[in-house]
Amino acid sequence: MKKKLLAIGVAASLGILAGTASAAPSVNAGGIGHTNIIPYFSTQNGNATLISITNTDQSNGKVVKVRFRGAEWSDDIFDFQVFLSPGDVFTGAVTSANGLSKFATADKSCTLPASVNQSFVPIRLQNTATGTLEGYVEIITMADIPEVATVPANNVNGKNPLFTAIKHVNGVAPCTSATSTARLENLTEDNFVTAAAAVQASYMTSPTGSLTSYATIINVPGSKAFANIATAINYDAPRKAYFRQANDSVIVTDSLTADRIFFAKVVAPASGGAAVPAYQFDLPDLSTPVEAATPTASGHRNALTVLLQKSSVVAEYSTLDVLAAATDIVISQPTRRYFYNYTQSATGSVTLEGVKYKIGGDAGSPYQSLVDTTNRVDLVGSVAFFDREENKASSNIVISPTPPGGALSLKGEVSVIGINNGAGATGALGALLTINDITATGAGGTVYEEGWATIPTIAGWTLVAGAPTAYENGTANGKLPVIGFTANNVFNGGVGTAGTNYGTTLPLRYLP
């Protein structure tokens, strides 16, 4: 008993148990939650992406942060706030022009800024030329907006004036108020660190898990469409986390975010932050500790990472030449960014605020094998392919262009893997930024054109010195936190004069 208690004490002193409190996050298999994560969007190679966010709460409004991040390093490339009235649906389209993705909507819900019909912003990207064309989407409920203010004296005509401002009237939300404190542009931050003044604080309450979202990637020239459903995360007791959609400066700490790009830089060879200025619009993010039981961002990151960890993904595929079939596997890692650390180096591959850095993954975490020059994480294990007649591909299957003896790896935050596709854009989604290709070669060089595959998602990791039963960063192994889907496309030349494509999307299956 004493040994067991000692081990727990050592783990606690190292911060190992951070994020493992009883109020742990959970995935709602029904697709409705406090936070929604859309694993992939694309405007690459003629694609457009349609986004839909639904508030299933028929009593309360919601104020929601919508943030698009790039596929390569998860940098923020476009974000805004949307105010959903009860039962409301917000939709928009992401297309591209002049090498940049751009957002457009004709929706009548309120947003901050008032118009979000704008191009994406590449200022934080290393790849400014094409880095906005692929990525993923974070959708976070910051607060509920009840019909009646929590302090009756602050109601106007018996109702919460902020609720009235966002509630649709004849299909259109007013988005304004005669009450100055309820005007959207006047809202001040109201969160678990800094509360708003008493009047405004009565307009918002702690958020509830009522959002469901999805994206549809449409390629009109190719006559293809692929829908992917957001992963829905719920929390036991989330706190208000409203931050202004403004460029007001913020001094970040682990009480707000685990994104060390905003933390103070340190002298090499030590690793630390990159001192990129942080603003109110950078919050909340997926690491922001929305539950009081997990009061640090690193702890919240750990809990979410443990929740999403998988040892491998399982996917069925078809690449039959007779059908011009193609399969792409999308593997997205929503908490990857929050394990980055930055080391000043003249040979660093990333430049931030005029300083060169090498980006690494925290030692002992699933991302400790991250190589900044390639933006890849080495994996342990090999891909296994099976055809539809029980045959298994040889064990030397790797993700190309891995040489003999090389390590299997995933590139970027969103890794898109093509099957039997060869070089260039992937066959179904036309992805380019963070791609891999796997050729399913069986005995005698036979290529398995259809079947199923398991792809390992375990990265190299190490134990924490002095704590043989505990690990760094709240994880107990090198399993990566992954979500995603499989996009399948086939062509039927017998339809019409030019034939037509058929696209299907299947959720990834996982081994724990």
Side-chain angles (χ1 to χ4, degrees):
M1 178 64 72
K2 288 183 178 179
K3 288 183 178 179
K4 182 177 180 181
L5 291 174
L6 178 61
I8 293 173
V10 170
S13 68
L14 290 171
I16 305 305
L17 301 182
T20 60
S22 60
S26 60
V27 172
N28 182 1
I32 298 173
H34 167 275
T35 295
N36 292 177
I37 309 169
I38 294 174
Y40 184 62
F41 78 87
S42 173
T43 61
Q44 192 79 262
N45 284 313
N47 288 334
T49 301
L50 309 182
I51 302 290
S52 177
I53 305 169
T54 300
N55 176 20
T56 64
D57 188 335
Q58 297 182 51
S59 299
N60 299 293
K62 311 285 178 184
V63 54
V64 178
K65 166 67 80 171
V66 179
R67 179 182 290 111
F68 292 80
R69 290 191 182 272
E72 293 168 297
W73 291 105
S74 311
D75 293 303
D76 186 350
I77 49 180
F78 191 73
D79 72 66
F80 59 91
Q81 294 177 3
V82 59
F83 294 77
L84 299 173
S85 57
D88 193 9
V89 180
F90 176 82
T91 60
V94 188
T95 58
S96 66
N98 302 316
L100 290 174
S101 287
K102 64 177 184 178
F103 191 84
T105 181
D107 199 278
K108 305 304 182 184
S109 300
C110 306
T111 61
L112 282 178
S115 173
V116 295
N117 294 339
Q118 302 177 33
S119 295
F120 282 20
V121 183
I123 190 171
R124 288 179 172 171
L125 292 177
Q126 299 300 304
N127 171 16
T128 58
T130 61
T132 68
L133 301 184
E134 297 175 61
Y136 65 106
V137 191
E138 302 170 347
I139 301 166
I140 303 170
T141 309
M142 295 189 285
D144 278 12
I145 303 174
E147 184 173 5
V148 178
T150 59
V151 177
N154 296 331
N155 289 320
V156 176
N157 297 323
K159 291 189 176 182
N160 178 351
L162 181 58
F163 181 92
T164 302
I166 68 166
K167 182 73 172 69
H168 286 61
V169 179
N170 297 322
V172 179
C175 303
T176 189
S177 175
T179 305
S180 62
T181 53
R183 293 173 191 159
L184 274 56
E185 66 274 15
N186 291 346
L187 294 176
T188 63
E189 63 176 309
D190 188 11
N191 53 65
F192 52 87
V193 174
T194 304
V199 173
Q200 184 193 309
S202 71
Y203 299 159
M204 299 183 190
T205 58
S206 297
T208 52
S210 306
L211 297 185
T212 184
S213 308
Y214 71 95
T216 304
I217 299 169
I218 296 178
N219 190 295
V220 174
S223 184
K224 296 188 285 187
F226 305 97
N228 65 98
I229 307 301
T231 295
I233 308 294
N234 273 319
Y235 301 100
D236 289 339
R239 303 179 286 181
K240 276 196 288 187
Y242 183 75
F243 295 84
R244 298 192 70 223
Q245 186 63 28
N247 55 3
D248 299 335
S249 296
V250 174
I251 298 175
V252 297
T253 66
D254 194 40
S255 65
L256 292 175
T257 180
D259 192 343
R260 282 192 291 263
I261 199 169
F262 301 125
F263 286 39
K265 57 188 176 184
V266 298
V267 178
S271 61
V276 170
Y279 303 101
Q280 284 272 325
F281 60 67
D282 287 309
L283 299 167
D285 61 27
L286 290 182
S287 73
T288 300
V290 295
E291 287 194 290
T294 308
T296 64
S298 55
H300 185 75
R301 168 204 65 185
N302 296 346
L304 192 54
T305 297
V306 170
L307 175 69
L308 299 177
Q309 281 183 314
K310 310 293 189 305
S311 66
S312 61
V313 299
V314 178
E316 189 173 351
Y317 72 94
S318 177
T319 61
L320 288 171
D321 284 342
V322 68
L323 293 175
T327 296
D328 292 349
I329 301 172
V330 175
I331 299 177
S332 186
Q333 305 155 72
T335 63
R336 181 187 199 251
R337 178 180 183 86
Y338 306 107
F339 290 97
Y340 294 165
N341 56 65
Y342 302 83
T343 303
Q344 294 186 60
S345 173
T347 60
S349 59
V350 173
T351 301
L352 299 166
E353 299 296 304
V355 179
K356 284 185 174 292
Y357 295 91
K358 289 184 177 180
I359 299 181
D362 288 350
S365 81
Y367 293 104
Q368 67 179 8
S369 66
L370 174 65
V371 179
D372 71 327
T373 54
T374 61
N375 193 11
R376 288 183 177 272
V377 174
D378 289 339
L379 303 178
V380 176
S382 58
V383 180
F385 275 93
F386 302 82
D387 69 6
R388 293 184 175 177
E389 310 303 332
E390 301 183 40
N391 296 307
K392 182 179 180 180
S394 56
S395 60
N396 65 342
I397 296 296
V398 298
I399 293 180
S400 63
T402 306
L408 185 67
S409 64
L410 290 180
K411 182 178 182 180
E413 193 285 343
V414 182
S415 190
V416 182
I417 301 173
I419 309 296
N420 299 331
N421 185 68
T426 60
L429 293 167
L432 278 170
L433 289 182
T434 51
I435 61 174
N436 302 284
D437 185 73
I438 310 176
T439 301
T441 307
T446 301
V447 175
Y448 294 170
E449 289 190 298
E450 55 184 352
W452 65 281
T454 61
I455 300 173
T457 52
I458 300 178
W461 55 279
T462 57
L463 294 165
V464 176
T469 60
Y471 305 86
E472 189 75 38
N473 302 313
T475 60
N477 48 57
K479 297 177 184 179
L480 298 178
V482 299
I483 60 175
F485 63 96
T486 300
N488 303 289
N489 184 76
V490 296
F491 178 77
N492 185 346
V495 177
T497 58
T500 189
N501 281 300
Y502 298 95
T504 61
T505 308
L506 299 174
L508 287 181
R509 304 304 182 189
Y510 307 102
L511 294 177

